[in-house]
Amino acid sequence: MVWPLSLLRGGDENTRTCWGYTFQLTDAHLTSEQAYPLKHSYDTLGEEALDRLNTISPPGPGLPRNRIASCGKSTLEKTSSSGEMPSLKSLPKRDLYILLRDNHHQDPVLLKLWTEANTIPSWVDWDQIARGQDVFYRYGGPSLTGLAFQSLLGGMGANRVVEVLARTGGFSTKVARHRLFETTQHILQCTRSLISIQPGGDGFASSLRVRLLHAAVRQRILKLERERPGYYDVSKYGIPINDLDCVATIGTFSATLIWLSLPRQGIFLRRQEILDYIALWRYIAHLTGTPTDYFETPEKARAVMESLLMNEVDPSPTSRILANNVIACLTGQAPNWASKDFLEVNSRWLNGNELCDALGLGRPSFYYWSLMAGQCLFFMAVCYFNRSIPYLDRRKIQALRKIFWLVIVEGEQGLSEVTTFDFKYIPDLHKTTLMEGPEQSGIKKSGIERRNLQTLLVGCGFLALSSWFAIRLATEIIS
């Protein structure tokens, strides 16, 4: 919950309160003027590499993509021997990572990108990266809650970023849940094991796929702007998916989780955990073509998070559309089967009433606030108890790695298959995102709300029993 800290401690001329969060302004914070150049700089190497890959294997004019050029030699040999062309369904999807891996030695730009990605920065400590991966699962439940309702939904308050998201059409209620799971898959691949994030691993590969996907979206939007001036105002919003946007994305997955999402759920990381988790996301920033200096230390990461909160969060009508579509796409859906009111109270607990009012979210009753309190009590009890016993801590981390992957990636109610982050949400002159209602309303199964209510009742019962014993003890001592 957002507490009015400014009322609990004195402020001075450097005290700032933005959307319910109070902090001290320092020289490390970015001003709007300092951040401006980052809105017009971007990953040029990734874009140049995409151009080379498109020459090697041209994408089709629309969906489905032209997969003939990207299929392997064995597939073409089988085709020539049989005399028949395979159907599109029988051909492999166009995978930009595979194209980069197999062709980087043939082109200097591709070689430069491949070398950069495979060169381990001097500041990378693999033991620290592995510990950072464990941090995510040690606080798995509250971490996923924070990523969904603060990093993603709260991030819709950044009015520049939502202009890009809205133009892809990827946040209509029919696909927003799938897109949310795709983002989560990337995080799970980057934290699944140390081998996964190292060169050649699944997390390493998905990070490069995301980097090339960003280049494709950027190119498409700028192409449409040239065709129809006014489609996307570069002078107002900056280059699509620019360096500042990428820094903000890494920050919402790391710094926002550490200093906003988890504390508001009663979870406070230890200093070493903070160092390790920031180091993990600094390395992911390196792979995705994001400036890494802003994550050199936890202090720098926190300062850039606070700078973005101060300068970039200003909800627009588009922000309200996308935020409400996120709520709609999750209402009554697996794996939590949560109601609209409970999803909205998650958002308000983590982001505060001021921001959620600006995003046009509903105001749930006190009952749902009590359920959210029960959820926080549950997370606190499970997380603190398990981390206090090394054996249980290891068992929990191992278990959640398997459970999250099974439910979100492999499960029928999740993605049901591993995505390769292909360019399927394609910006179009006639495409935009409108506010929609939920695909299915109501709870289909007994879900997270019952668990939270039970936890709240148990907590209240324990508090009442403890109070009774304390009063009896005090009475005996006095008498």
Side-chain angles (χ1 to χ4, degrees), residues 171-173 176 321-329 433-436:
F171 276 92
S172 66
T173 56
I321 291 173
L322 269 59
N324 279 273
N325 282 0
V326 171
I327 294 292
C329 81
T433 304
L434 303 175
M435 189 176 297
E436 305 172 31

Side-chain angles (χ1 to χ4, degrees), residues 71-308:
C71 61
K73 180 179 179 182
S74 60
T75 303
L76 293 177
E77 288 175 347
K78 291 178 182 178
T79 300
S80 60
S81 62
S82 64
E84 297 180 0
M85 287 298 294
S87 66
L88 287 176
K89 290 184 179 180
S90 66
L91 292 173
K93 291 183 178 180
R94 180 174 183 262
D95 189 330
L96 291 175
Y97 172 75
I98 299 300
L99 287 172
L100 173 64
R101 184 196 66 189
D102 294 347
N103 295 279
H104 68 270
H105 58 282
Q106 300 177 4
D107 183 276
V109 172
L110 298 183
L111 180 61
K112 183 178 180 181
L113 175 60
W114 186 255
T115 302
E116 177 189 282
N118 282 270
T119 301
I120 309 304
S122 60
W123 40 262
V124 169
D125 177 346
W126 290 123
D127 290 336
Q128 183 177 48
I129 298 297
R131 294 196 303 269
Q133 293 174 317
D134 288 346
V135 169
F136 178 77
Y137 296 97
R138 180 172 295 125
Y139 309 103
S143 292
L144 285 183
T145 301
L147 290 173
F149 295 102
Q150 188 153 43
S151 298
L152 176 64
L153 194 147
M156 297 302 178
N159 58 41
R160 289 188 313 98
V161 174
V162 296
E163 294 301 325
V164 173
L165 298 177
R167 282 162 174 77
T168 66
F171 276 92
S172 66
T173 56
K174 293 182 179 180
V175 297
R177 180 172 173 273
H178 192 272
R179 191 163 181 174
L180 172 61
F181 282 172
E182 286 179 331
T183 300
T184 308
Q185 178 199 296
H186 178 222
I187 298 172
L188 296 182
Q189 286 178 316
C190 289
T191 57
R192 200 173 186 192
S193 68
L194 184 59
I195 293 176
S196 181
I197 195 62
Q198 290 176 329
D202 290 341
F204 173 87
S206 68
S207 295
L208 287 179
R209 290 187 181 105
V210 168
R211 182 174 183 172
L212 294 168
L213 174 62
H214 286 171
V217 173
R218 185 187 306 115
Q219 283 189 348
R220 176 66 178 173
I221 290 179
L222 292 178
K223 178 177 181 292
L224 294 176
E225 167 61 21
R226 290 192 296 270
E227 292 178 2
R228 192 180 77 182
Y231 169 77
Y232 179 88
D233 191 342
V234 175
S235 63
K236 181 178 181 181
Y237 303 125
I239 297 292
I241 315 182
N242 53 59
D243 283 339
L244 187 64
D245 297 337
C246 293
V247 168
T249 299
I250 296 296
T252 57
F253 290 158
S254 55
T256 299
L257 201 67
I258 293 171
W259 288 290
L260 285 176
S261 304
L262 293 180
R264 288 176 177 178
Q265 297 175 81
I267 304 296
F268 295 88
L269 270 59
R270 296 166 290 195
R271 175 65 180 178
Q272 188 60 54
E273 291 175 318
I274 293 174
L275 288 167
D276 298 340
Y277 197 65
I278 292 295
L280 166 65
W281 281 98
R282 187 186 183 191
Y283 178 57
I284 296 173
H286 165 72
L287 296 178
T288 57
T290 302
T292 61
D293 291 346
Y294 299 101
F295 305 96
E296 184 178 3
T297 66
E299 291 71 27
K300 285 188 175 182
R302 185 171 187 172
V304 77
M305 176 202 78
E306 293 169 344
S307 301
L308 293 167

Side-chain angles (χ1 to χ4, degrees), residues 43 108 141 144 240 273 280 305 341 357 361 413 447 475:
D43 176 25
L144 285 183
E273 291 175 318
L280 166 65
M305 176 202 78
D341 287 330
D357 285 344
L361 300 185
Q413 300 289 349
T475 303

